[in-house]
Amino acid sequence: MPTIVFVSPKGGVGKTTAAMILATQLSQGADVTVIDADPNRPFRSWSSGGNCPEKLTIVADADEENVIDKIEDAASKTPFVVVDLEGTAAKIVLLAVSQADLVIVPTQGSQLDAEQAGRALAVIRQQEKMSKREVPYGVLLTRTNPAIRTRTTAHIQQGLREAGINVFHSELNEREAFRAMFSFRQPLQGLDPKDVANLDRAIANADAFTLEIVDKLRDLRAAA
Ligand SMILES: Nc1ncnc2c1ncn2[C@@H]1O[C@H](COP(=O)(O)OP(=O)(O)OP(=O)(O)O)[C@@H](O)[C@H]1O
Ligand SMILES: [Mg+2]
C-alpha cells in the first residue's frame, strides 16, 4: 500500500511537521504507520504524550540496516506508510526512496531552500537510474505566509514549474497550530482553540494538503 517518503537534504525545512500533519490527518479515517527513521525519533517523543490516534502506529527503530524491511512490513499491514527521515543525504534516504510510491520534498519559500530542493531531486534521479523506474515526487512549499502570497513564493513556484519540477498546488502555511502539535503532543484535532490561534485555518490547510496527496496517490494507482 502507498508509501510516502519525506526527503530533503537540508535540515529544518518542515519534513517532520509535514509528515506529522499527513499521518495524523490520514489516521482519522485509515490505518497509518509512520516509520520514524530520524535518529532523534521526533514521532516517538510526540507519541509519548499519550495522544497518538488509535489508527496511527509508530515504528521508531528504523535504521540503515533494516529500513527496507520495516517499510515492507508496514506496507503489508496498513493502507498508508509515512516515512520521516533526517535532513541529510545519508544512505538511508536512498534506501527509503527505493520503497516510495510518492516522495514529498518540503521546501521553504526562499531561494536558498529551492536550491536545496534541487539536491533532493538529484537523490530521486539517482534512485530512478538505480531502479530503472520513475519515482513520483512533488515539491511542497512550507511555512508560507497565509496572509500575503509573497512574490518570492510565487516566483519560486513558477521557477520550479518552468524547470519541469513537480510542485504541489497546496502549501503548508506558517501556523502556530503546526508547532503546537509538537509542544502539546497532540494531533491538530486534540488542540484547544483557546490555546492556539487560527486552529480552524490550520486544520483547513492540513485537510487541503492531505486531500491533494490522497488524490495524487489515487491517480498514480490508476495509471499503474
Ligand atoms: N508550517 C509550519 N508552521 C510553523 N512552524 C513550522 C512549520 N513547519 C515547520 N515549522 C517549525 O520549523 C522547525 C523545523 O521544522 P521540522 O522539524 O518539521 O523540520 P525538519 O525538516 O523535519 O527538520 P530536520 O531536518 O531537523 O528533521 C520546527 O521548529 C517547526 O516547529
Ligand atoms: Mg525532522
Side-chain angles (χ1 to χ4, degrees), residues 15-16 38 42 84-86:
K15 284 184 301 299
T16 301
D38 179 337
D84 184 37
L85 294 153
E86 63 187 306

